[in-house]
Amino acid sequence: MRLNLTVNDEPRTVDEVWEGQSLLFVLRDQLGLPGSKNACEQGECGSCTVYLDGTPVCSCLVAAGQAEGRNVRTVEGLADGDQLDAVQQAFVDAGAVQCGFCTPGLIVAAHELVHRAGAPSDPEIREALAGNLCRCTGYEKILDAVRLASARVGETAGPA
């Protein structure tokens, strides 16, 4: 089948897609966007998290056919050219990136939280990131990164 969707604000067409193929496979192997990682293929680790019509989803659980006509935003799409998004930069600055395998999914989940909740509490951060597994860290640097991103996003937003 032919799949028409918008990826990172760019209309894309992908040919020779099997309807049951995962959105993750289409993004990585057919569109050349390797940011979302393929770890568990069961929606348990969060490493493949992307936005689908503005909602974070595990792209390994979304059949490609379900993405027809929809809007996908990957971790690559958070940056503005070479300028990293505040959440991406906070992960770098806080040292929250180790092997990097879980990082894209964590960044998408943290991005959604920071832009939805503004200044989330630690329990809110932990809840928002609960679907993302990291095998390299004790999560403290990740929490630091989300706190830092929250503060930076709050600074740029200015008073309400």
Side-chain angles (χ1 to χ4, degrees), residues 8 14 19 21 72 114 160:
N8 299 331
V14 185
E19 296 89 346
Q21 191 172 348
V72 176
V114 167

Side-chain angles (χ1 to χ4, degrees), residues 65-78:
Q66 293 176 294
E68 174 65 32
R70 298 178 75 183
N71 187 7
V72 176
R73 189 171 184 197
T74 68
V75 69
E76 293 96 338
L78 299 180

Side-chain angles (χ1 to χ4, degrees), residues 71-152:
N71 187 7
V72 176
R73 189 171 184 197
T74 68
V75 69
E76 293 96 338
L78 299 180
D80 184 10
D82 290 338
Q83 180 69 38
L84 294 178
D85 174 81
V87 177
Q88 292 170 314
Q89 190 62 55
F91 267 70
V92 172
D93 294 345
V97 178
Q98 287 196 12
C99 83
F101 211 78
C102 66
T103 306
L106 282 163
I107 287 174
V108 173
H111 183 273
E112 190 279 332
L113 173 67
V114 167
H115 289 278
R116 173 179 45 85
S121 66
D122 280 3
E124 289 172 317
I125 295 170
R126 290 178 190 280
E127 176 68 23
L129 301 183
N132 297 80
L133 300 178
C134 177
R135 291 181 172 94
C136 296
T137 71
Y139 291 95
E140 197 55 43
K141 295 284 186 189
I142 294 166
L143 296 172
D144 290 344
V146 178
R147 291 182 202 112
L148 180 59
S150 176
R152 289 179 177 171

Side-chain angles (χ1 to χ4, degrees), residues 21-39:
Q21 191 172 348
S22 73
L23 176 59
L24 175 62
F25 180 84
V26 170
L27 293 171
R28 289 181 56 80
D29 295 346
Q30 292 177 277
L31 292 176
L33 295 167
S36 303
K37 303 301 183 207
N38 185 5

